[in-house]
Amino acid sequence: MLVFILNAGSSSLKYQLMNPTTKEVLAVGLCERIGIDGILKHEFGEGQKLTLEIPMPTHKEAIELVLKTLVESEGKVINSVDDIDAIGHRAVHGGEEFASSVMVTDKVIAKMKELIPLAPLHNPANIMGMEICQQLMPGKPNVAVFDTAFHQTMPDYAYMYALPHDMYTKHGIRKYGFHGTSHYFVSNEARAMLDKKQNTRIIVCHLGNGSSVSAVLNGKCIDTSMGLTPVQGLMMGTRAGDVGAGAISYMMTRENLTIDQALDVMNKKSGILGISGKSSDLREVLEGMQNGDDKCRLAVDMVAYNIKKYVGAYVAALDGVDALCFTGGIGENAALIREKVCAGLDSMGLVIDPVKNNRRSRDARDIATNGSASRIFVIPTNEEFVIANDTFKIVSELQK
């Protein structure tokens, strides 16, 4: 089965064409600047690349261009759109309605539209991608795979906020968590890598421009750092993470900010960018630190300290830990962050091996010392495979 994987953003569109049974990726690409001008970056074959600058007024033209590129241009990998068996869509917010992936129907889209207030930047784009694919490829099954679904196993005492209870019953205000497909994939890979198969206690640190930590017991999420929206939790590329409500109110008063302006500061101007004053890209901030920039040093120390606090909290929540996992662009590549996070965690059974930690590899690996009571894994995430595999399973079940 060939699955067309789609991740529609407000002005961008990521895609892959994958066979989930073999994990073979035929093509991967990105449409950028949709509604502005339009750039398509398409990779296929043995590292071949194609870049096209073509106007994309809307997502419809972007998806049409991608399909045409897959079947007609020099980036061709299939003979016809008919070779695509199903479409798998990344869907950011499923609220409490969707605890697993589902076939896209009119009812599902209607429910996702009701959830737009919980994800006003993401859900409209996700829905748009689904509706366009239904138009362009009528009859092809579409499956929605939700970022929030994996975290729906959290107990109520973990996901509730200590606000008046009717804030939850009336408005659904609670923790939902995100990056669920990554946390699911990495925790499952970690379980396979452990000698221990029962009562597995795993902490996953998904670290990138957006970052989150999850506590996973026997394959089920029992807590996660992001909340109602992705701004809660860790300090990220441009997001502030955990900030007290009093500090936000005080900032608004002193700076004469509206709530929308304050949220803009917390989502787009804070985090690594806000502290370093240099960049939201940790690579550039690490370089600045090495060149003696103290604000860059502070940003790096804050990033590592924030992660470390959540790791310690989740060791307590899990009553121990069998594996601490690092994934995502930062988690997989920033050895210094891994080193700083693990420093001093010997009493929790987590002892990092500096040689293994600094060894570069694209493969999943254990970077703990041989004598460490718990394992420390670096596991490349594969969210696209989760989307493709869920799509394959749902479509196969319906075809029986």
Side-chain angles (χ1 to χ4, degrees):
M1 177 182 285
L2 282 184
V3 177
F4 183 46
I5 305 154
L6 211 59
N7 180 357
S10 57
S11 62
S12 66
L13 183 83
K14 295 179 182 178
Y15 65 90
Q16 281 195 20
L17 187 62
M18 179 188 291
N19 181 336
T21 57
T22 64
K23 291 190 179 180
E24 179 189 7
V25 177
L26 280 71
V28 57
L30 170 67
C31 294
E32 296 179 294
R33 298 176 62 84
I34 298 171
I36 303 169
D37 39 39
I39 301 172
L40 170 66
K41 297 176 181 177
H42 180 74
E43 297 182 27
F44 63 103
E46 298 295 325
Q48 294 170 273
K49 296 182 179 181
L50 175 67
T51 299
L52 300 172
E53 296 186 16
I54 297 177
M56 304 175 201
T58 71
H59 283 69
K60 183 173 185 288
E61 286 81 10
I63 295 174
E64 285 175 334
L65 176 60
V66 171
L67 295 175
K68 184 176 180 180
T69 303
L70 291 171
V71 302
E72 290 183 14
S73 77
E74 59 183 283
K76 174 180 176 178
V77 293
I78 53 176
N79 293 319
S80 166
V81 172
D82 291 338
D83 293 338
I84 297 173
D85 297 292
I87 304 100
H89 298 265
R90 181 198 180 204
V92 168
H93 216 308
E96 291 185 323
E97 303 298 325
F98 302 106
S100 61
S101 303
V102 295
M103 186 72 73
V104 175
T105 62
D106 291 344
K107 186 177 179 181
V108 167
I109 288 177
K111 182 54 67 175
M112 285 186 67
K113 287 180 177 178
E114 291 178 20
L115 295 170
I116 284 176
L118 291 175
L121 297 178
H122 296 93
N123 271 27
N126 300 156
I127 293 165
M128 189 189 315
M130 295 171 193
E131 292 178 331
I132 292 168
C133 284
Q134 288 176 326
Q135 294 170 23
L136 297 179
M137 292 177 277
K140 299 281 184 186
N142 288 259
V143 172
V145 181
F146 294 91
D147 270 8
T148 50
F150 180 61
H151 304 301
Q152 282 297 299
T153 52
M154 286 191 290
D156 53 5
Y157 56 80
Y159 68 69
M160 287 292 290
Y161 291 122
L163 297 169
H165 197 270
D166 61 359
M167 294 294 123
Y168 167 67
T169 55
K170 287 164 59 178
H171 307 298
I173 299 175
R174 50 158 284 184
K175 283 176 66 173
Y176 289 99
F178 300 88
H179 300 136
T181 50
S182 180
H183 287 287
Y184 168 77
F185 177 83
V186 171
S187 59
N188 269 359
E189 292 289 298
R191 293 180 79 200
M193 293 168 70
L194 286 170
D195 293 334
K196 180 181 180 183
K197 302 303 178 187
Q198 301 297 322
N199 191 35
T200 52
R201 300 161 300 177
I202 294 168
I203 298 171
V204 178
C205 300
H206 174 101
L207 310 176
N209 192 52
S211 299
S212 59
V213 185
S214 66
V216 184
L217 179 64
N218 288 325
K220 305 288 186 184
C221 178
I222 64 164
D223 206 349
T224 192
S225 59
M226 282 182 168
L228 177 78
T229 73
V231 75
Q232 183 181 339
L234 300 176
M235 170 182 171
M236 307 174 217
T238 62
R239 294 181 187 135
D242 294 330
V243 179
I248 298 167
S249 174
Y250 186 71
M251 176 183 72
M252 291 173 67
T253 301
R254 299 299 294 179
E255 293 289 325
N256 194 28
L257 301 176
T258 65
I259 185 63
D260 287 340
Q261 289 170 329
L263 287 172
D264 186 69
V265 170
M266 294 181 67
N267 275 292
K268 299 178 181 179
K269 300 173 183 175
S270 300
I272 295 170
L273 173 64
I275 295 297
S276 71
K278 184 178 183 68
S279 174
S280 63
D281 189 325
L282 186 70
R283 292 169 296 187
E284 295 181 18
V285 174
L286 285 167
E287 184 180 340
M289 181 186 74
Q290 290 168 355
N291 291 331
D293 188 323
D294 194 57
K295 288 197 293 183
C296 288
R297 187 275 312 163
L298 175 60
V300 170
D301 284 347
M302 287 178 67
V303 166
Y305 182 67
N306 272 265
I307 299 164
K308 187 174 186 172
K309 283 199 300 182
Y310 270 98
V311 169
Y314 288 168
V315 170
L318 290 165
D319 194 22
V321 61
D322 297 301
L324 170 63
C325 307
F326 292 94
T327 193
I330 293 173
E332 294 167 33
N333 298 300
L336 180 63
I337 296 297
R338 297 193 298 262
E339 176 189 323
K340 284 178 171 289
V341 169
C342 294
L345 297 185
D346 305 39
S347 62
M348 297 180 179
L350 294 162
V351 187
I352 196 167
D353 185 313
V355 176
K356 293 178 183 176
N357 183 43
N358 284 286
R359 189 177 296 144
R360 291 187 174 276
S361 173
R362 293 185 178 182
D363 299 324
R365 60 198 188 277
D366 186 350
I367 59 171
T369 63
N370 293 337
S372 178
S374 303
R375 309 325 302 159
I376 305 172
F377 296 141
V378 178
I379 301 176
T381 193
N382 195 339
E383 297 171 86
E384 290 78 15
F385 171 71
V386 174
I387 295 171
N389 196 48
D390 275 18
T391 301
F392 168 74
K393 289 189 290 187
I394 288 173
V395 172
S396 297
E397 189 63 32
L398 287 174
Q399 290 176 345
K400 285 183 180 179

